[in-house]
């Protein structure tokens, strides 16, 4: 048995498995069961519940009612439970292991937060309940908003956006409203090359032309190029700080001053706030609007366990344009929900409403309980430990993986590698697939675009040294195989329920509707 560099026995190598193992007759592997699609294992005459026939009532649908069977799959209760349980075991989750996805900040979701969010006073209320019966929930929104304002050094907050990308939309709409309010027609938003895809998409969605700002060889924004491009047509810039190369944009204050001087606004993509929370206040750097992904920095679940949430903080210049609704503490101490635009009020210039109700209440409760359980000093340590963990990963791997900005000093909360030095014909995809065989979800791959074959690893502060060492050992072994040109890596994953898929075909020609194989054959014969 061979040992990895932490002195642990390595798993059975791909070669051993290929030599000895026979495919099983069922397709099952050990206790991991092969599971067909629900349509293939069900039939529409079976059901898990017995229902009485519906009473005959006169239809009020004017002949538009469904006549044929609805065609839903039918399974008994036990078959249904097994189907979904088997599928869920094929999934990877933060509760199973380290999730190194760079930019995504996949941190542990503390169970205390879950307990708080499930308190009936928060979980069982309805957005249309009378306001005096939900003062506690409004207090949660208000207190969380206050923390976000304090942590970012900004003047106002919009709590309703439902994800980071939705927050970007909120921020850019506020910028557009502010420009319109002063009768200023500007048509361009500048976005650095290393930006997350949602940034240019948001600016384009709001109707702006998007122009790239080049990066310096050190991975940061080219300050001269940006300043040279500013002018009366530039509405603003969208800058991620720390950026997606895992580097702090040291010139942000200079950039903000120049953008403001030229009459524009500064949007900061705050998805990486985890690296600087408690350390740096974006408001001090001249930022006008920034979204905060509660599901990243403040540990609320990404999908699965709940939706995301992307509150946006605003500078004094943009706060008057923030969307409705918002919570306001009245003179008598009770909390009001301001839902209507009103020409007389201080929110007369609000750009309107983005969501039906108030935002993601369950996420607000989780995020506030995360913040309160850490306290101000604890949040500072979050940033410190996130950065420490990323640098540990960077320095532990730079002898086997190329770190394009490794010489520029420490990274922030994520470590960036490239595929330079892999054997001819091997790329990042091979390493990512090999990592699946080692039991880890791959890191973010081919992003940011400024680095060839990029691999962006963000361990977050919630991983222990032991967990990091195990991950580093796995990544090391796969990296060495990619450098040595181990052909079996081209066919990885070998041990996953599904092997290597044609991801391009799946993205370009998604098959979203199941058709019965018989019908498919008949179609083909026609
Ligand atoms: C995650 C992320 C976003 C988008 O946030 P969502 O909550 O997924 O919509 C935008 N920018 C960066 C840099 C991100 O990491």
């Amino acid at each position: 048995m061979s040992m990895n560099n932490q002195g642990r026995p390595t798993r059975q190598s791909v070669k051993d498995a290929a030599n000895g193992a026979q495919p099983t007759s069922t397709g099952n592997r050990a206790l991991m069961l092969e599971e067909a699609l629900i349509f293939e294992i069900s039939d529409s005459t079976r059901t898990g519940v017995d229902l009485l026939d519906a009473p005959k009532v006169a239809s009020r649908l004017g002949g538009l009612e469904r006549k044929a069977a609805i065609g839903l799959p039918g399974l008994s209760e036990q078959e249904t439970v097994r189907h979904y349980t088997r599928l869920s075991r094929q999934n990877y989750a933060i509760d199973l292991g380290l999730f190194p996805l760079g930019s995504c900040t996949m941190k542990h979701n503390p169970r205390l937060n879950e307990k708080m969010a499930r308190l009936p006073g928060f979980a069982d209320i309805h957005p249309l309940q009378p306001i005096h019966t939900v003062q506690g929930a409004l207090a949660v929104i208000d207190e969380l908003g206050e923390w976000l304002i304090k942590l970012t050094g900004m003047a106002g907050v919009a709590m309703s956006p439902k994800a980071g990308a939705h927050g970007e939309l909120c921020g850019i709409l506020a910028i557009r409203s502010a420009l319109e309010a002063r009768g200023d027609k500007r048509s361009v938003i500048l976005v650095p090359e290393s930006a997350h895809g949602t940034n240019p998409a948001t600016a384009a969605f709001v109707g702006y032309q998007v122009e790239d700002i080049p990066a310096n060889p050190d991975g940061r924004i080219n300050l001269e190029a940006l300043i040279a491009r500013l002018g009366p047509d530039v509405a603003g810039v969208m800058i991620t700080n720390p950026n997606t190369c895992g580097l702090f944009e040291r010139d942000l204050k200079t950039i903000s001053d120049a953008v403001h001087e030229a009459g524009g606004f500064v949007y900061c993509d705050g998805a990486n706030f985890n690296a600087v929370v408690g350390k740096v206040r974006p408001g001090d750097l001249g930022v006008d609007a920034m979204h905060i992904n509660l599901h990243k920095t403040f540990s609320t679940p990404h999908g699965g366990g709940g939706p995301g949430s992307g509150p946006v903080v605003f500078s004094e210049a943009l706060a008057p344009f923030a969307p409705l609704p918002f919570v306001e503490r009245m003179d008598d101490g009770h909390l009001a929900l301001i839902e209507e635009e009103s020409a007389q009020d201080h929110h007369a210039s609000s750009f309107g409403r983005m969501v039906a109700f108030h935002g993601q209440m369950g996420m607000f409760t989780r995020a506030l309980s995360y913040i309160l359980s850490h306290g101000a000093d604890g949040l500072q340590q979050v940033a410190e430990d996130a950065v420490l963990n990323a640098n540990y990963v960077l320095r532990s791997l730079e002898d086997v993986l190329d770190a394009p900005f490794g010489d520029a000093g420490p990274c922030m909360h994520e470590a960036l590698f490239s595929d330079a030095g892999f054997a001819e014909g091997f790329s990042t995809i091979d390493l990512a697939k090999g990592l699946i065989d080692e039991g880890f979800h791959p890191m973010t791959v081919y992003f940011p675009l400024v680095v060839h074959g990029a691999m962006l690893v963000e361990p977050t502060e919630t991983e222990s040294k032991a967990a990091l060492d195990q991950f580093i050992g796995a990544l090391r072994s796969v990296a060495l195989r990619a450098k040595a040109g181990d052909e079996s890596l081209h066919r990885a994953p070998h041990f996953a329920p599904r092997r290597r898929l044609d991801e391009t075909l799946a993205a370009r020609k998604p098959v979203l509707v199941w058709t019965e194989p018989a019908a498919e054959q008949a179609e083909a014969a026609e």
Side-chain angles (χ1 to χ4, degrees), residues 258-448:
V259 172
H260 291 151
E261 180 77 16
F265 289 97
V266 178
Y267 186 87
C268 181
D269 180 328
N272 294 337
F273 194 46
N274 198 49
V276 294
V277 59
K279 292 283 183 183
V280 174
R281 301 190 312 164
D284 297 337
L285 302 178
V287 168
D288 290 298
M290 179 177 102
H291 72 259
I292 298 162
N293 310 59
L294 298 186
H295 47 290
K296 294 179 179 173
T297 305
F298 296 110
S299 86
T300 73
H302 296 237
S309 181
V312 179
V313 284
F314 290 105
S315 65
E316 236 158 83
L318 281 190
F321 302 93
L324 300 166
F326 59 89
V327 175
E328 188 158 277
R329 191 171 286 281
M330 294 308 185
D331 291 339
D332 65 0
H334 89 276
L335 291 161
L337 194 66
I338 312 293
E339 298 213 68
E340 306 291 336
E341 286 157 68
S342 137
Q344 296 85 43
D345 281 325
H346 58 80
H347 53 278
S349 14
S350 163
F351 73 70
R353 185 180 262 276
M354 297 192 78
V355 304
F357 296 116
H358 323 312
Q360 313 286 40
M361 190 61 216
M363 297 305 129
F364 298 158
T365 317
R366 287 174 176 85
L368 184 61
S369 95
Y370 179 84
I371 288 175
L372 293 179
S373 56
H374 280 73
D377 53 340
L379 288 176
Q380 223 166 43
Q381 199 182 337
V382 160
E384 286 165 10
D385 290 353
V387 171
L388 180 65
N389 278 1
N391 279 283
Y392 183 65
V393 170
L394 179 68
R395 298 307 170 202
S396 304
L397 285 163
E398 64 185 349
D399 60 326
V400 289
L401 281 173
D402 172 58
F405 307 121
D407 295 339
C411 60
M412 294 299 290
H413 62 311
E414 45 199 4
L416 180 59
F417 302 102
S418 87
D419 64 358
F422 286 9
E424 183 69 26
F426 286 79
S427 176
T428 297
I429 187 87
D430 302 305
L431 182 139
K433 298 295 185 189
L435 207 50
I436 295 175
D437 278 337
E438 297 287 342
F440 287 99
H441 191 288
M443 68 288 276
T444 292
V445 294
Y446 300 106
F447 174 80

Side-chain angles (χ1 to χ4, degrees), residues 69-82:
I70 194 166
L72 290 177
L75 294 173
S76 71
E77 179 181 296
Q78 187 198 41
E79 288 167 326
T80 310
V81 169
R82 283 187 179 161

Side-chain angles (χ1 to χ4, degrees), residues 156-221:
V157 63
M159 297 299 290
S160 64
K162 296 203 170 187
H166 202 212
E168 291 173 30
L169 180 62
C170 175
I172 300 298
L173 285 174
I175 290 175
R176 193 179 70 180
S177 302
L179 289 169
E180 279 171 359
R182 66 178 196 219
D184 195 348
K185 284 199 186 11
R186 293 176 178 241
S187 55
V188 175
I189 295 267
L190 304 179
V191 178
E193 282 177 321
S194 61
H196 193 270
T198 50
N199 292 187
T202 298
F205 189 70
V206 178
Y208 287 108
Q209 269 162 262
V210 179
E211 285 184 28
D212 264 359
I213 313 168
N216 279 332
D218 76 349
R220 296 185 172 87
I221 291 176

Side-chain angles (χ1 to χ4, degrees), residues 99-147:
F99 229 121
L101 277 178
S103 214
C104 296
T105 315
M106 305 294 289
K107 57 168 90 170
H108 171 64
N109 314 135
R111 292 307 183 266
L112 175 68
N113 304 356
E114 298 303 317
K115 186 161 184 180
M116 293 304 110
R118 283 168 175 73
L119 290 174
F122 295 129
D124 297 346
I125 53 178
H126 191 280
L128 293 178
Q129 237 171 279
I131 287 299
H132 73 270
T133 66
V134 291
Q135 288 290 305
L138 294 186
V140 166
I141 301 180
D142 190 51
E143 192 170 339
L144 176 60
E146 227 174 278
W147 270 96

